[in-house]
Short mmCIF file of all heavy atoms in Angstrom, two decimals:
data_model
loop_
_atom_site.label_atom_id
_atom_site.label_comp_id
_atom_site.label_asym_id
_atom_site.label_seq_id
_atom_site.Cartn_x
_atom_site.Cartn_y
_atom_site.Cartn_z
N GLU C 64 -209.86 -171.28 -46.49
CA GLU C 64 -210.52 -170.14 -47.15
C GLU C 64 -210.80 -170.41 -48.63
O GLU C 64 -211.16 -169.50 -49.38
CB GLU C 64 -209.66 -168.89 -47.02
CG GLU C 64 -209.49 -168.41 -45.59
CD GLU C 64 -210.81 -168.02 -44.97
OE1 GLU C 64 -211.51 -167.17 -45.54
OE2 GLU C 64 -211.16 -168.59 -43.91
N GLN C 66 -213.05 -171.53 -50.34
CA GLN C 66 -214.39 -171.41 -50.95
C GLN C 66 -214.69 -169.98 -51.40
O GLN C 66 -215.66 -169.75 -52.11
CB GLN C 66 -215.45 -171.92 -49.97
CG GLN C 66 -215.09 -173.32 -49.50
CD GLN C 66 -216.24 -174.17 -48.98
OE1 GLN C 66 -216.32 -175.34 -49.28
NE2 GLN C 66 -217.12 -173.58 -48.20
N SER C 72 -220.51 -165.72 -63.65
CA SER C 72 -221.92 -166.06 -63.58
C SER C 72 -222.25 -166.83 -64.85
O SER C 72 -222.09 -166.32 -65.95
CB SER C 72 -222.75 -164.78 -63.50
OG SER C 72 -224.12 -165.09 -63.45
N ARG C 77 -220.26 -165.17 -73.24
CA ARG C 77 -220.05 -166.40 -74.01
C ARG C 77 -218.60 -166.83 -74.02
O ARG C 77 -218.30 -168.01 -74.20
CB ARG C 77 -220.56 -166.19 -75.44
CG ARG C 77 -222.06 -165.90 -75.49
CD ARG C 77 -222.41 -165.19 -76.80
NE ARG C 77 -223.81 -164.76 -76.85
CZ ARG C 77 -224.26 -163.63 -76.30
NH1 ARG C 77 -223.43 -162.84 -75.62
NH2 ARG C 77 -225.51 -163.30 -76.42
N GLN C 89 -219.75 -161.74 -50.18
CA GLN C 89 -220.43 -162.42 -49.05
C GLN C 89 -219.48 -162.82 -47.95
O GLN C 89 -219.90 -163.12 -46.84
CB GLN C 89 -221.21 -163.65 -49.55
CG GLN C 89 -220.34 -164.82 -50.03
CD GLN C 89 -219.92 -164.70 -51.47
OE1 GLN C 89 -219.92 -163.62 -52.04
NE2 GLN C 89 -219.54 -165.81 -52.09
N GLN C 107 -210.72 -158.23 -73.98
CA GLN C 107 -209.95 -159.07 -74.90
C GLN C 107 -208.87 -159.83 -74.11
O GLN C 107 -207.76 -160.01 -74.57
CB GLN C 107 -209.33 -158.20 -76.01
CG GLN C 107 -209.31 -158.87 -77.38
CD GLN C 107 -209.78 -157.92 -78.49
OE1 GLN C 107 -210.60 -157.04 -78.25
NE2 GLN C 107 -209.27 -158.10 -79.69
N ASP C 125 -205.14 -132.88 -81.72
CA ASP C 125 -204.70 -131.80 -82.58
C ASP C 125 -203.42 -131.26 -81.94
O ASP C 125 -203.38 -131.13 -80.71
CB ASP C 125 -205.79 -130.73 -82.55
CG ASP C 125 -205.77 -129.88 -83.76
OD1 ASP C 125 -204.83 -129.06 -83.87
OD2 ASP C 125 -206.70 -130.04 -84.57
N ALA C 132 -196.21 -133.44 -77.45
CA ALA C 132 -196.56 -134.81 -77.11
C ALA C 132 -195.34 -135.44 -76.46
O ALA C 132 -194.20 -135.15 -76.84
CB ALA C 132 -196.96 -135.58 -78.37
N VAL C 134 -193.45 -139.02 -74.28
CA VAL C 134 -193.43 -140.45 -73.96
C VAL C 134 -192.77 -140.62 -72.60
O VAL C 134 -191.74 -140.00 -72.32
CB VAL C 134 -192.64 -141.25 -75.03
CG1 VAL C 134 -192.44 -142.69 -74.56
CG2 VAL C 134 -193.35 -141.20 -76.36
N VAL C 165 -235.52 -160.33 -60.14
CA VAL C 165 -234.46 -161.07 -59.45
C VAL C 165 -233.93 -162.14 -60.39
O VAL C 165 -234.70 -162.89 -61.00
CB VAL C 165 -235.01 -161.72 -58.17
CG1 VAL C 165 -233.97 -162.65 -57.57
CG2 VAL C 165 -235.39 -160.64 -57.16
N SER C 213 -207.29 -152.62 -76.99
CA SER C 213 -206.87 -151.22 -76.85
C SER C 213 -208.04 -150.39 -76.36
O SER C 213 -208.40 -149.38 -76.94
CB SER C 213 -206.35 -150.65 -78.18
OG SER C 213 -205.15 -151.27 -78.53
N ARG C 265 -201.86 -144.83 -73.53
CA ARG C 265 -201.93 -143.55 -74.22
C ARG C 265 -203.01 -142.68 -73.62
O ARG C 265 -204.07 -143.17 -73.21
CB ARG C 265 -202.23 -143.77 -75.71
CG ARG C 265 -202.03 -142.51 -76.57
CD ARG C 265 -202.04 -142.85 -78.05
NE ARG C 265 -203.36 -143.27 -78.50
CZ ARG C 265 -204.26 -142.46 -79.06
NH1 ARG C 265 -203.99 -141.17 -79.25
NH2 ARG C 265 -205.44 -142.92 -79.43
N ASP C 270 -210.86 -131.97 -78.08
CA ASP C 270 -211.91 -130.95 -77.90
C ASP C 270 -213.31 -131.53 -78.13
O ASP C 270 -214.28 -130.78 -78.17
CB ASP C 270 -211.65 -129.76 -78.82
CG ASP C 270 -211.42 -130.17 -80.26
OD1 ASP C 270 -211.56 -131.38 -80.56
OD2 ASP C 270 -211.11 -129.30 -81.09
N ALA C 274 -216.78 -141.15 -78.53
CA ALA C 274 -217.77 -142.18 -78.91
C ALA C 274 -217.09 -143.51 -79.26
O ALA C 274 -217.33 -144.10 -80.31
CB ALA C 274 -218.64 -141.70 -80.08
N VAL C 280 -221.76 -148.18 -77.95
CA VAL C 280 -222.49 -149.41 -78.22
C VAL C 280 -222.77 -150.16 -76.90
O VAL C 280 -223.77 -150.84 -76.77
CB VAL C 280 -221.70 -150.31 -79.20
CG1 VAL C 280 -222.50 -151.56 -79.53
CG2 VAL C 280 -221.35 -149.55 -80.48
N ASN C 288 -238.18 -144.66 -73.49
CA ASN C 288 -238.54 -144.00 -74.75
C ASN C 288 -237.66 -144.42 -75.91
O ASN C 288 -237.74 -143.87 -77.01
CB ASN C 288 -238.51 -142.48 -74.59
CG ASN C 288 -237.10 -141.95 -74.31
OD1 ASN C 288 -236.13 -142.70 -74.33
ND2 ASN C 288 -237.01 -140.64 -74.07
N HIS C 291 -230.94 -143.97 -75.85
CA HIS C 291 -229.87 -144.45 -74.96
C HIS C 291 -229.15 -143.25 -74.37
O HIS C 291 -228.85 -142.30 -75.08
CB HIS C 291 -228.82 -145.26 -75.75
CG HIS C 291 -229.20 -146.67 -76.03
ND1 HIS C 291 -229.75 -147.07 -77.24
CD2 HIS C 291 -229.09 -147.80 -75.28
CE1 HIS C 291 -229.96 -148.38 -77.21
NE2 HIS C 291 -229.57 -148.85 -76.05
N ARG C 292 -228.83 -143.35 -73.09
CA ARG C 292 -227.98 -142.33 -72.49
C ARG C 292 -226.53 -142.64 -72.80
O ARG C 292 -226.05 -143.73 -72.52
CB ARG C 292 -228.15 -142.32 -70.98
CG ARG C 292 -229.44 -141.67 -70.56
CD ARG C 292 -229.52 -141.66 -69.07
NE ARG C 292 -230.65 -140.87 -68.64
CZ ARG C 292 -231.00 -140.76 -67.37
NH1 ARG C 292 -230.32 -141.39 -66.42
NH2 ARG C 292 -232.03 -140.02 -67.04
N GLN C 293 -225.86 -141.64 -73.35
CA GLN C 293 -224.45 -141.81 -73.69
C GLN C 293 -223.60 -141.04 -72.68
O GLN C 293 -224.03 -140.02 -72.14
CB GLN C 293 -224.19 -141.30 -75.11
CG GLN C 293 -222.92 -141.88 -75.72
CD GLN C 293 -222.76 -141.52 -77.18
OE1 GLN C 293 -223.46 -140.63 -77.69
NE2 GLN C 293 -221.85 -142.19 -77.86
N SER C 296 -221.51 -141.87 -66.64
CA SER C 296 -220.21 -142.26 -66.06
C SER C 296 -220.24 -142.40 -64.55
O SER C 296 -219.72 -143.37 -64.00
CB SER C 296 -219.15 -141.21 -66.44
OG SER C 296 -218.94 -141.21 -67.84
N GLY C 310 -228.43 -166.61 -50.40
CA GLY C 310 -227.70 -167.87 -50.51
C GLY C 310 -227.01 -168.27 -49.23
O GLY C 310 -226.28 -169.26 -49.21
N THR C 312 -227.48 -169.07 -44.94
CA THR C 312 -228.46 -169.52 -43.95
C THR C 312 -227.96 -169.18 -42.56
O THR C 312 -226.80 -169.50 -42.23
CB THR C 312 -228.71 -171.04 -44.09
OG1 THR C 312 -229.29 -171.29 -45.38
CG2 THR C 312 -229.66 -171.54 -43.02
N ARG C 329 -220.21 -139.59 -55.94
CA ARG C 329 -220.26 -138.13 -55.79
C ARG C 329 -219.58 -137.65 -54.52
O ARG C 329 -219.68 -136.49 -54.17
CB ARG C 329 -221.70 -137.63 -55.86
CG ARG C 329 -222.31 -137.77 -57.25
CD ARG C 329 -223.26 -136.63 -57.59
NE ARG C 329 -223.72 -136.72 -58.97
CZ ARG C 329 -224.73 -137.49 -59.38
NH1 ARG C 329 -225.39 -138.21 -58.51
NH2 ARG C 329 -225.08 -137.51 -60.66
N GLY C 341 -238.50 -154.68 -44.51
CA GLY C 341 -238.80 -154.39 -45.91
C GLY C 341 -239.01 -152.92 -46.21
O GLY C 341 -239.63 -152.57 -47.21
N ILE C 343 -240.30 -150.42 -44.04
CA ILE C 343 -241.30 -149.63 -43.31
C ILE C 343 -240.61 -148.77 -42.25
O ILE C 343 -240.84 -147.56 -42.16
CB ILE C 343 -242.38 -150.55 -42.68
CG1 ILE C 343 -243.11 -151.29 -43.80
CG2 ILE C 343 -243.35 -149.73 -41.82
CD1 ILE C 343 -244.10 -152.33 -43.33
N ASN C 344 -239.72 -149.40 -41.49
CA ASN C 344 -238.98 -148.66 -40.46
C ASN C 344 -237.48 -148.82 -40.69
O ASN C 344 -237.03 -149.86 -41.18
CB ASN C 344 -239.35 -149.20 -39.07
CG ASN C 344 -240.80 -148.93 -38.75
OD1 ASN C 344 -241.21 -147.79 -38.56
ND2 ASN C 344 -241.60 -150.00 -38.72
N TRP C 345 -236.74 -147.80 -40.32
CA TRP C 345 -235.30 -147.78 -40.57
C TRP C 345 -234.54 -147.38 -39.32
O TRP C 345 -235.04 -146.63 -38.50
CB TRP C 345 -234.98 -146.78 -41.69
CG TRP C 345 -235.61 -147.14 -43.01
CD1 TRP C 345 -236.89 -146.87 -43.39
CD2 TRP C 345 -234.99 -147.81 -44.10
NE1 TRP C 345 -237.11 -147.34 -44.67
CE2 TRP C 345 -235.96 -147.92 -45.13
CE3 TRP C 345 -233.72 -148.34 -44.33
CZ2 TRP C 345 -235.69 -148.54 -46.36
CZ3 TRP C 345 -233.44 -148.95 -45.54
CH2 TRP C 345 -234.42 -149.05 -46.54
N GLN C 387 -230.20 -143.21 -51.85
CA GLN C 387 -230.35 -144.37 -52.74
C GLN C 387 -231.82 -144.68 -52.99
O GLN C 387 -232.61 -144.74 -52.05
CB GLN C 387 -229.64 -145.56 -52.07
CG GLN C 387 -229.57 -146.81 -52.92
CD GLN C 387 -228.92 -147.98 -52.18
OE1 GLN C 387 -228.51 -147.84 -51.02
NE2 GLN C 387 -228.83 -149.11 -52.84
N ARG C 397 -236.18 -145.00 -65.38
CA ARG C 397 -235.25 -145.71 -66.26
C ARG C 397 -235.80 -146.99 -66.87
O ARG C 397 -235.12 -147.62 -67.68
CB ARG C 397 -233.97 -146.06 -65.48
CG ARG C 397 -233.30 -144.84 -64.89
CD ARG C 397 -231.82 -144.83 -65.10
NE ARG C 397 -231.21 -143.85 -64.22
CZ ARG C 397 -230.35 -144.13 -63.24
NH1 ARG C 397 -229.94 -145.39 -63.05
NH2 ARG C 397 -229.86 -143.17 -62.48
N GLN C 423 -237.01 -158.53 -54.56
CA GLN C 423 -237.05 -157.10 -54.87
C GLN C 423 -238.30 -156.49 -54.24
O GLN C 423 -239.41 -156.98 -54.46
CB GLN C 423 -237.03 -156.87 -56.37
CG GLN C 423 -235.66 -157.21 -56.97
CD GLN C 423 -235.55 -156.88 -58.45
OE1 GLN C 423 -236.54 -156.55 -59.10
NE2 GLN C 423 -234.34 -156.99 -58.98
N ARG D 28 -189.80 -137.59 -72.45
CA ARG D 28 -189.13 -137.00 -73.61
C ARG D 28 -190.20 -136.77 -74.68
O ARG D 28 -191.26 -137.41 -74.65
CB ARG D 28 -188.06 -137.94 -74.15
CG ARG D 28 -188.63 -139.27 -74.58
CD ARG D 28 -187.68 -140.07 -75.46
NE ARG D 28 -188.30 -141.34 -75.79
CZ ARG D 28 -189.14 -141.51 -76.81
NH1 ARG D 28 -189.48 -140.51 -77.61
NH2 ARG D 28 -189.67 -142.70 -77.04
N ALA D 30 -192.43 -137.11 -77.86
CA ALA D 30 -192.76 -138.23 -78.75
C ALA D 30 -192.36 -137.86 -80.17
O ALA D 30 -192.53 -136.71 -80.58
CB ALA D 30 -194.26 -138.51 -78.69
N ASP D 41 -207.05 -143.61 -83.18
CA ASP D 41 -208.48 -143.45 -82.91
C ASP D 41 -209.17 -142.60 -83.97
O ASP D 41 -208.59 -141.69 -84.54
CB ASP D 41 -208.68 -142.82 -81.52
CG ASP D 41 -208.07 -141.44 -81.44
OD1 ASP D 41 -208.76 -140.46 -81.78
OD2 ASP D 41 -206.87 -141.34 -81.07
N ARG D 43 -212.61 -140.32 -84.50
CA ARG D 43 -213.65 -139.62 -83.76
C ARG D 43 -214.94 -139.51 -84.57
O ARG D 43 -214.91 -139.64 -85.79
CB ARG D 43 -213.16 -138.21 -83.43
CG ARG D 43 -212.59 -138.10 -82.06
CD ARG D 43 -212.27 -136.70 -81.59
NE ARG D 43 -212.35 -135.59 -82.51
CZ ARG D 43 -211.89 -134.37 -82.20
NH1 ARG D 43 -211.32 -134.16 -81.01
NH2 ARG D 43 -211.99 -133.39 -83.04
N LYS D 47 -212.12 -137.16 -87.43
CA LYS D 47 -210.71 -136.85 -87.16
C LYS D 47 -210.01 -138.17 -86.84
O LYS D 47 -210.52 -138.97 -86.05
CB LYS D 47 -210.59 -135.88 -85.99
CG LYS D 47 -209.16 -135.50 -85.71
CD LYS D 47 -209.07 -134.20 -84.91
CE LYS D 47 -208.82 -133.01 -85.81
NZ LYS D 47 -208.69 -131.76 -85.06
N ASN D 78 -225.04 -165.44 -82.50
CA ASN D 78 -225.14 -165.16 -81.08
C ASN D 78 -224.18 -166.05 -80.28
O ASN D 78 -224.21 -166.06 -79.06
CB ASN D 78 -226.58 -165.43 -80.64
CG ASN D 78 -227.02 -164.44 -79.59
OD1 ASN D 78 -226.20 -163.87 -78.90
ND2 ASN D 78 -228.32 -164.24 -79.46
N ARG D 97 -233.89 -143.28 -85.71
CA ARG D 97 -234.24 -143.85 -84.41
C ARG D 97 -234.72 -145.28 -84.62
O ARG D 97 -235.67 -145.50 -85.38
CB ARG D 97 -235.39 -143.05 -83.76
CG ARG D 97 -235.03 -141.68 -83.23
CD ARG D 97 -234.28 -141.73 -81.90
NE ARG D 97 -235.00 -142.45 -80.87
CZ ARG D 97 -235.89 -141.89 -80.02
NH1 ARG D 97 -236.15 -140.63 -80.08
NH2 ARG D 97 -236.49 -142.64 -79.10
N THR D 120 -217.42 -145.05 -84.73
CA THR D 120 -217.23 -146.01 -83.64
C THR D 120 -216.91 -147.40 -84.18
O THR D 120 -216.00 -148.08 -83.69
CB THR D 120 -218.52 -146.08 -82.78
OG1 THR D 120 -218.83 -144.78 -82.30
CG2 THR D 120 -218.35 -147.05 -81.62
N ALA D 128 -209.41 -153.47 -82.72
CA ALA D 128 -209.64 -154.65 -81.87
C ALA D 128 -210.01 -155.94 -82.60
O ALA D 128 -209.99 -157.01 -82.00
CB ALA D 128 -210.73 -154.33 -80.84
N LYS D 135 -205.59 -155.37 -84.67
CA LYS D 135 -204.67 -154.45 -85.36
C LYS D 135 -203.94 -155.10 -86.52
O LYS D 135 -202.92 -154.59 -86.99
CB LYS D 135 -203.66 -153.83 -84.37
CG LYS D 135 -204.33 -152.89 -83.39
CD LYS D 135 -203.42 -152.47 -82.25
CE LYS D 135 -204.26 -152.14 -81.04
NZ LYS D 135 -204.93 -153.31 -80.45
N GLY D 179 -230.35 -141.62 -81.78
CA GLY D 179 -230.83 -142.41 -80.65
C GLY D 179 -230.13 -142.16 -79.33
O GLY D 179 -230.39 -142.85 -78.35
N THR D 181 -228.80 -139.68 -76.06
CA THR D 181 -228.98 -138.43 -75.32
C THR D 181 -227.88 -138.34 -74.26
O THR D 181 -227.44 -139.35 -73.72
CB THR D 181 -230.37 -138.37 -74.64
OG1 THR D 181 -230.42 -137.18 -73.84
CG2 THR D 181 -230.61 -139.57 -73.73
N HIS D 184 -228.44 -136.15 -68.91
CA HIS D 184 -228.54 -136.92 -67.68
C HIS D 184 -227.49 -136.41 -66.70
O HIS D 184 -226.62 -135.61 -67.09
CB HIS D 184 -228.34 -138.42 -67.96
CG HIS D 184 -227.04 -138.72 -68.63
ND1 HIS D 184 -225.83 -138.68 -67.97
CD2 HIS D 184 -226.75 -139.03 -69.92
CE1 HIS D 184 -224.87 -138.97 -68.81
NE2 HIS D 184 -225.38 -139.18 -70.01
N GLY D 185 -227.57 -136.91 -65.48
CA GLY D 185 -226.70 -136.36 -64.43
C GLY D 185 -225.40 -137.11 -64.22
O GLY D 185 -224.68 -136.84 -63.26
N MET D 186 -225.09 -138.04 -65.10
CA MET D 186 -223.95 -138.91 -64.84
C MET D 186 -222.69 -138.54 -65.59
O MET D 186 -221.77 -139.36 -65.73
CB MET D 186 -224.34 -140.35 -65.13
CG MET D 186 -225.34 -140.86 -64.10
SD MET D 186 -225.82 -142.52 -64.48
CE MET D 186 -226.89 -142.87 -63.10
N ASP D 204 -231.70 -138.64 -61.17
CA ASP D 204 -233.05 -138.99 -61.61
C ASP D 204 -234.06 -139.08 -60.48
O ASP D 204 -235.24 -138.83 -60.67
CB ASP D 204 -233.04 -140.38 -62.27
CG ASP D 204 -232.37 -140.35 -63.62
OD1 ASP D 204 -232.52 -139.34 -64.34
OD2 ASP D 204 -231.66 -141.33 -63.94
N ASN D 207 -235.15 -139.88 -53.45
CA ASN D 207 -235.68 -140.62 -52.30
C ASN D 207 -235.42 -139.81 -51.02
O ASN D 207 -234.52 -138.97 -50.99
CB ASN D 207 -235.00 -142.00 -52.21
CG ASN D 207 -235.74 -142.97 -51.31
OD1 ASN D 207 -236.84 -142.67 -50.83
ND2 ASN D 207 -235.15 -144.13 -51.09
N MET D 211 -237.67 -142.51 -41.70
CA MET D 211 -237.19 -143.46 -40.70
C MET D 211 -238.30 -144.33 -40.07
O MET D 211 -238.03 -145.43 -39.64
CB MET D 211 -236.45 -142.72 -39.57
CG MET D 211 -235.20 -141.95 -40.02
SD MET D 211 -233.93 -142.92 -40.90
CE MET D 211 -233.25 -143.89 -39.57
N ASN D 213 -242.48 -145.78 -40.11
CA ASN D 213 -243.77 -145.95 -40.78
C ASN D 213 -243.76 -145.34 -42.18
O ASN D 213 -244.62 -144.54 -42.53
CB ASN D 213 -244.89 -145.31 -39.96
CG ASN D 213 -244.94 -145.91 -38.57
OD1 ASN D 213 -244.84 -147.13 -38.41
ND2 ASN D 213 -245.06 -145.06 -37.56
N CYS D 214 -242.77 -145.72 -42.96
CA CYS D 214 -242.54 -145.06 -44.24
C CYS D 214 -243.52 -145.50 -45.30
O CYS D 214 -243.64 -144.86 -46.34
CB CYS D 214 -241.11 -145.29 -44.69
SG CYS D 214 -239.94 -144.66 -43.47
N LYS D 215 -244.17 -146.64 -45.12
CA LYS D 215 -245.20 -147.07 -46.06
C LYS D 215 -246.15 -148.01 -45.35
O LYS D 215 -245.88 -148.48 -44.24
CB LYS D 215 -244.55 -147.72 -47.29
CG LYS D 215 -243.61 -148.87 -46.98
CD LYS D 215 -242.85 -149.34 -48.23
CE LYS D 215 -241.84 -150.42 -47.86
NZ LYS D 215 -240.98 -150.81 -48.97
N GLY D 221 -241.72 -157.13 -55.53
CA GLY D 221 -241.81 -157.06 -56.99
C GLY D 221 -241.36 -158.33 -57.65
O GLY D 221 -241.80 -158.67 -58.75
N SER D 222 -240.47 -159.05 -57.01
CA SER D 222 -239.88 -160.22 -57.67
C SER D 222 -239.15 -161.05 -56.63
O SER D 222 -238.60 -160.52 -55.67
CB SER D 222 -238.91 -159.74 -58.76
OG SER D 222 -238.12 -160.79 -59.26
N HIS D 232 -226.17 -171.33 -60.20
CA HIS D 232 -224.83 -170.81 -59.90
C HIS D 232 -224.00 -171.78 -59.09
O HIS D 232 -223.11 -171.39 -58.34
CB HIS D 232 -224.94 -169.46 -59.18
CG HIS D 232 -225.27 -168.34 -60.13
ND1 HIS D 232 -226.50 -168.19 -60.69
CD2 HIS D 232 -224.51 -167.34 -60.63
CE1 HIS D 232 -226.50 -167.14 -61.49
NE2 HIS D 232 -225.31 -166.60 -61.47
N GLN D 238 -219.68 -171.76 -51.69
CA GLN D 238 -219.24 -170.42 -52.05
C GLN D 238 -219.23 -169.50 -50.83
O GLN D 238 -219.20 -168.28 -50.96
CB GLN D 238 -220.13 -169.86 -53.17
CG GLN D 238 -220.04 -170.75 -54.42
CD GLN D 238 -220.92 -170.26 -55.55
OE1 GLN D 238 -221.23 -169.08 -55.66
NE2 GLN D 238 -221.32 -171.18 -56.41
N ASN D 239 -219.27 -170.12 -49.67
CA ASN D 239 -219.18 -169.41 -48.40
C ASN D 239 -218.23 -170.18 -47.49
O ASN D 239 -217.97 -171.36 -47.72
CB ASN D 239 -220.57 -169.35 -47.73
CG ASN D 239 -221.48 -168.31 -48.37
OD1 ASN D 239 -221.45 -167.15 -48.01
ND2 ASN D 239 -222.27 -168.74 -49.35
N ARG D 240 -217.74 -169.50 -46.46
CA ARG D 240 -216.91 -170.20 -45.48
C ARG D 240 -217.70 -171.31 -44.82
O ARG D 240 -218.92 -171.22 -44.71
CB ARG D 240 -216.44 -169.23 -44.39
CG ARG D 240 -215.42 -168.27 -44.86
CD ARG D 240 -214.71 -167.54 -43.73
NE ARG D 240 -213.82 -166.61 -44.39
CZ ARG D 240 -214.19 -165.38 -44.77
NH1 ARG D 240 -215.38 -164.92 -44.45
NH2 ARG D 240 -213.33 -164.63 -45.43
N ARG D 246 -223.90 -170.07 -42.89
CA ARG D 246 -223.35 -171.03 -43.84
C ARG D 246 -223.95 -170.72 -45.21
O ARG D 246 -225.05 -170.16 -45.29
CB ARG D 246 -223.74 -172.46 -43.48
CG ARG D 246 -223.13 -172.97 -42.19
CD ARG D 246 -221.61 -173.16 -42.28
NE ARG D 246 -221.10 -173.70 -41.03
CZ ARG D 246 -220.82 -172.96 -39.96
NH1 ARG D 246 -220.98 -171.65 -39.99
NH2 ARG D 246 -220.39 -173.53 -38.86
N THR D 248 -226.10 -171.66 -48.20
CA THR D 248 -227.27 -172.55 -48.27
C THR D 248 -226.95 -173.72 -49.20
O THR D 248 -226.40 -173.52 -50.28
CB THR D 248 -228.48 -171.76 -48.81
OG1 THR D 248 -228.68 -170.61 -47.98
CG2 THR D 248 -229.73 -172.62 -48.83
#
Side-chain angles (χ1 to χ4, degrees):
Chain C
E64 295 297 305
Q66 307 202 138
S72 179
R77 298 159 186 82
Q89 69 274 21
Q107 217 135 329
D125 204 288
V134 171
V165 172
S213 292
R265 192 168 69 95
D270 51 5
V280 183
N288 66 5
H291 280 98
R292 284 182 172 176
Q293 200 173 14
S296 295
T312 296
R329 291 215 174 83
I343 298 174
N344 295 292
W345 298 82
Q387 186 183 359
R397 302 225 195 116
Q423 290 185 351
Chain D
R28 60 164 178 85
D41 62 88
R43 263 189 351 190
K47 182 160 263 181
N78 216 336
R97 288 283 304 271
T120 303
K135 292 169 207 68
T181 175
H184 57 74
M186 291 178 177
D204 288 324
N207 196 7
M211 299 304 288
N213 302 316
C214 301
K215 55 188 176 186
S222 169
H232 283 72
Q238 300 179 26
N239 283 274
R240 289 194 183 87
R246 294 291 183 277
T248 305

